[in-house]
Amino acid sequence: MGADTLIAGKTSRDIAASVETAVAVGDLVPLQPLPSVRELAARLGVSPSTVAAAYRDLRMRGVVLSEAGRATRVGGRPPVAPSSTARPVEGESAAVRAPAPSSSNLRDVSDGNPDPELLPDLSAVLATVESPRYLYGAPTIVPELAEMAQELFADVADQLGHHTGPPTVVGGALDGAERVLGAWARPGDRVVIEDPGHTGVLDLVRAMGLEPVGVAVDAAGVVPDDLERALGRQPVAFVVTPRAHNPTGAAIDDERAVALRAVLARHPDMTVVENDHASLIAGAPYVSLSVGRQRWAVLRSASKFLGPDLRLAFVAADPRTLSRVSGRQLLGTGWVSHLLQHLVVALWAVPEVRDTVRHAERVYHERRQTLLDQLSERGIMARGRSGLNVTIPVEHEAPVIQQMQTRGWGLRAGEVHRMRSAPFVRVTTATLRPDESTRLAADLAAVLEHRSASHLT
């Protein structure tokens, strides 16, 4: 069934609702083109302005994408909960997305997860956790967790030259990003994000009705000249990953930080949001871009080094931003579960857990570097300065993904990470053993050589 026959309604609200329903049940799939405004208006017997208003509402909520010179499409990951009857993504989009490891013969290195074997054992600590019966009106942050946060943010305080008080606690790094952006941005505002970048950030910005402005990234992070261009569009915020950049592994060093701070200094009213999601296992030192700024925030999650199911992160920020984030949280969720806070405190109090985190950072570095070395030996250019991922530039993503699947590898295509940047495939090296790195590099070299030879002939 074509997209034009799935959309119905006489008002902009009804038209938008029909599109959202079709996305939820899987009749409209990610990146599927939608009819033009005039085409759909003619079929429905309504004015073009009515259809345009429906598309505008959908675009503001991230359900559809619309770019100059291109058809309106369903979003890559629209913020619509799929029903149990939703169909899987089909066609080209399916080919470039990470495959589901349905076969035991498929080695999935696409998911971006940490190695479960390098996470602390929660069961050993759960039985020791003591939590009082908290009631409404109790302090939102456990004092021991506030002390832990101060310890984890000591390097931030050192670089910024002042202490900000205890960071607030939120339900994960992206939850923190949403709350900080919500404190300063309004629908229609522009936000600078990395391109390529974290899919969660791109999807979040679009779902909040904000306009993402992509900025190029190299091994040392955001490119200063491109940031200067992006800031010329008057954004209200800049979301940046200081290290362990997903997907490229970029890490900002001291030299690049000086150049970026000089660019940012010409835009003092913009909010800088540093998503330091990997923090203790990043494999590179933290270098801040928020030095001397009036509005800033640094996000650090416990999920990467203690476990993804521990939905807890810290937000350090300037006093006004912190006040807005905390105040808005009180009006909604109220607080992050005190029981979860006590569990994180109990984990961090165990010396063996801290040893595990330090060991994990070393292992992740070794595994990432091993794959980079294996690829380099075969003449394959790749990026992965820090974090859990390595990216390999390719001419076309879908064929490489498909051919690597036939060799038993599940890689992730770069499409969902990109706005206008060049194609690539991503490998998560978190669980990749040395012998697997050798085989993966050899298989990828064979695929790329075959594609190059085919292209020449």
Side-chain angles (χ1 to χ4, degrees):
M1 186 180 296
D4 57 337
T5 62
L6 294 168
I7 304 174
K10 292 297 184 181
T11 67
S12 63
R13 180 175 297 179
D14 289 342
I15 294 169
S18 71
V19 172
E20 190 166 344
T21 298
V23 172
V25 301
D27 287 335
L28 289 177
V29 299
L31 304 184
Q32 181 173 348
L34 299 181
S36 70
V37 169
R38 292 193 178 277
E39 289 172 344
L40 185 57
R43 186 182 71 77
L44 296 178
V46 300
S47 70
S49 62
T50 298
V51 175
Y55 278 6
R56 182 169 59 250
D57 174 63
L58 292 165
R59 183 174 64 253
M60 293 290 281
R61 293 186 289 112
V63 179
V64 304
L65 307 176
S66 180
E67 299 175 9
R70 300 185 65 179
T72 298
R73 299 172 295 152
V74 177
R77 293 201 307 172
V80 177
S83 72
S84 59
T85 59
R87 296 184 289 110
V89 179
E90 298 174 343
E92 180 181 357
S93 298
V96 297
R97 291 180 186 281
S102 56
S103 169
S104 59
N105 295 324
L106 185 66
R107 178 66 166 95
D108 182 25
V109 289
S110 70
D111 60 14
N113 273 308
D115 185 348
E117 298 300 321
L118 295 177
L119 296 173
D121 181 9
L122 300 185
S123 61
V125 177
L126 280 170
T128 68
V129 174
E130 296 183 3
S131 180
R133 292 183 175 89
Y134 287 92
L135 301 175
Y136 296 109
T140 58
I141 301 176
V142 173
E144 295 85 355
L145 188 70
E147 293 178 7
M148 173 183 170
Q150 293 283 58
E151 176 188 344
L152 293 179
F153 280 85
D155 56 342
V156 177
D158 288 344
Q159 291 191 43
L160 299 187
H162 57 81
H163 293 274
T164 63
T168 196
V169 179
V170 295
L174 283 177
D175 180 46
E178 180 174 11
R179 292 182 183 280
V180 173
L181 290 176
W184 294 108
R186 297 296 176 264
D189 285 344
R190 296 187 177 98
V191 175
V192 175
I193 63 173
E194 297 146 329
D195 180 19
H198 182 16
T199 58
V201 172
L202 176 58
D203 295 337
L204 174 64
V205 166
R206 286 172 169 162
M208 293 180 70
L210 307 173
E211 181 183 342
V213 179
V215 62
V217 176
D218 63 16
V222 168
V223 177
D225 289 345
D226 207 38
L227 179 61
E228 185 76 78
R229 172 200 59 79
L231 296 184
R233 300 190 64 186
Q234 303 301 311
V236 299
F238 170 35
V239 183
V240 60
T241 314
R243 51 184 174 172
H245 176 258
N246 184 3
T248 69
I252 297 174
D253 55 24
D254 289 329
E255 181 179 357
R256 177 60 57 85
V258 170
L260 291 174
R261 289 173 193 151
V263 173
L264 291 169
R266 294 189 281 275
H267 303 266
D269 294 331
M270 187 184 64
T271 304
V272 173
V273 185
E274 300 183 32
N275 182 15
D276 191 25
H277 65 105
S279 60
L280 299 181
I281 60 165
Y286 166 74
V287 182
S288 178
L289 299 184
S290 297
V291 176
R293 298 201 64 79
Q294 295 179 0
R295 295 211 298 257
W296 59 274
V298 179
L299 316 175
R300 286 185 172 170
S301 172
S303 298
K304 282 293 194 302
F305 62 88
L306 293 181
D309 197 38
L310 294 174
R311 308 309 303 157
L312 186 147
F314 303 98
V315 179
D318 67 88
R320 180 167 294 182
T321 297
L322 206 61
S323 175
R324 290 188 177 189
V325 168
S326 300
R328 181 64 184 86
Q329 185 183 45
L330 287 173
L331 296 177
T333 59
W335 64 89
V336 173
S337 166
H338 291 95
L339 181 59
L340 181 59
Q341 294 185 45
H342 278 289
L343 174 57
V344 171
V345 168
L347 281 166
W348 199 239
V350 178
E352 289 79 10
V353 168
R354 299 188 184 214
D355 291 342
T356 296
V357 173
R358 286 189 287 267
H359 173 68
E361 182 181 32
R362 292 192 297 270
V363 172
Y364 289 139
H365 170 78
E366 293 167 359
R367 290 174 177 173
R368 187 179 66 252
Q369 192 59 49
T370 297
L371 179 61
L372 290 170
D373 292 343
Q374 290 293 326
L375 293 170
S376 178
E377 287 181 11
R378 292 163 176 80
I380 300 174
M381 184 176 68
R383 296 165 64 181
R385 191 172 185 176
S386 61
L388 306 181
N389 300 299
V390 166
T391 58
I392 303 101
V394 297
E395 187 174 356
H396 301 288
E397 296 171 3
V400 173
I401 293 291
Q402 293 167 339
Q403 292 175 40
M404 287 298 285
Q405 283 182 352
T406 66
R407 293 171 178 265
W409 298 101
L411 276 59
R412 184 179 179 91
E415 182 197 41
V416 294
H417 295 274
R418 298 187 289 108
M419 297 174 64
R420 297 186 180 277
S421 52
F424 64 89
V425 294
R426 190 194 77 180
V427 176
T428 297
T429 57
T431 63
L432 203 62
R433 301 186 304 272
D435 61 309
E436 291 181 310
S437 287
T438 301
R439 289 193 292 108
L440 191 154
D443 285 340
L444 186 58
V447 166
L448 296 179
E449 183 178 2
H450 172 74
R451 288 200 53 76
S452 178
S454 299
H455 178 72
L456 292 174
T457 56

